[in-house]
Amino acid sequence: MQPVVDTSLWLAHKRRALASPAAGADFLMRRAAEELADRLGAVERKFDRAAVLFCQTPAAVDVLATSGKVADIVRVEADAAFLGDGAGGDGAGGDAAGLVAPLETVPFEPESLDLAVSLLSLQAMNDIPGMLVQIRRALKPDGLFLGAFAGAGTLSELRECLLAAETEFYGGASPRVIPFTDVRDAGALLQRAGLALPVADVETVTVRYDSLFGLMADLRAMGETSALIDRSRRPATRKLFARAAEIYAERFSDADGRVRASFPIVWMSGWAPDASQQKPLKPGSAKLSLKTILENPGRR
């Protein structure tokens, strides 16, 4: 598989953001953690052992720890810096143990986890199908995977305006925003990985800024500036970004002059196959035809 994202650069951006935190810049992670709490709350069971995979902050661990549904939590990060006081102990967040492992790996024995969680990191991985396969292997039968990542349409406004400005200046443009996975493809990836009862849905978070420059500041504070392998090596000038900001204001501003930025968050869930799970009915096994239901709406 041809890599698209320079994961070493992505991690460097994340480390830089961690070293210089900006108040409020973690709004997407906080939103994802709140949604994780809701989705986990809807699952009527408890989990002996859970892994939180490459979430970069303790937010997901805190959700699991306060849910009362998880006995043992292991937090996995690609760098000990994200664990706070090193790999393990309180630095991992809450009551979780910490573990450092290479990005895009699931460092657990087969069938050793009851729950796996990933928030806002899969979009930066070059082999999402392989990551999901590893997760499925690490889950015990009837183990659950819950994940969220930035999906297709994320930063679509920024992408359009940068392309337009660069085309004006240079007669052509280079990619500056990573490609994102569509929600329909996410469902197919769950099935491909062998996860049962797969579900994928999307929630779009729309954020408003005074200008493109406020958005860019948040992206730097999140550690989410471009990490494309094929990114332009031409230095971006103030003039280029000033023109992009003008185009942004022309195309994506509201009546009050503020501009919009879209962040579609794709949610995925799937279970490791188990004989106890519900199975779809075999074709032709229904006792009542759709035609009968439509012709007799009062009959059920």
Side-chain angles (χ1 to χ4, degrees), residues 179-199:
F180 296 99
T181 302
D182 184 84
V183 63
R184 290 167 294 185
D185 294 330
L189 289 173
L190 290 167
Q191 291 181 312
R192 178 178 169 183
L195 288 161
L197 308 175
V199 176

Side-chain angles (χ1 to χ4, degrees), residues 281-293 299-300:
L281 294 174
K282 295 181 180 179
S285 63
K287 296 181 180 179
L288 195 62
S289 71
L290 178 60
K291 180 181 178 182
T292 301
I293 293 174
R299 182 180 177 185
R300 292 292 185 269

Side-chain angles (χ1 to χ4, degrees), residues 125-200:
M125 299 186 186
N126 288 299
D127 187 9
I128 298 176
M131 186 69 180
L132 293 177
V133 167
Q134 292 182 70
I135 290 171
R136 194 262 299 159
R137 288 175 179 165
L139 288 172
K140 296 177 183 177
D142 207 30
L144 174 63
F145 166 63
L146 287 172
F149 62 91
T154 295
L155 299 175
S156 57
E157 303 91 350
L158 179 62
R159 182 199 305 267
E160 179 179 324
C161 296
L162 287 173
L163 287 174
E166 200 166 10
T167 300
E168 282 186 20
F169 277 45
Y170 306 117
S174 302
R176 293 184 178 272
V177 179
I178 65 172
F180 296 99
T181 302
D182 184 84
V183 63
R184 290 167 294 185
D185 294 330
L189 289 173
L190 290 167
Q191 291 181 312
R192 178 178 169 183
L195 288 161
L197 308 175
V199 176

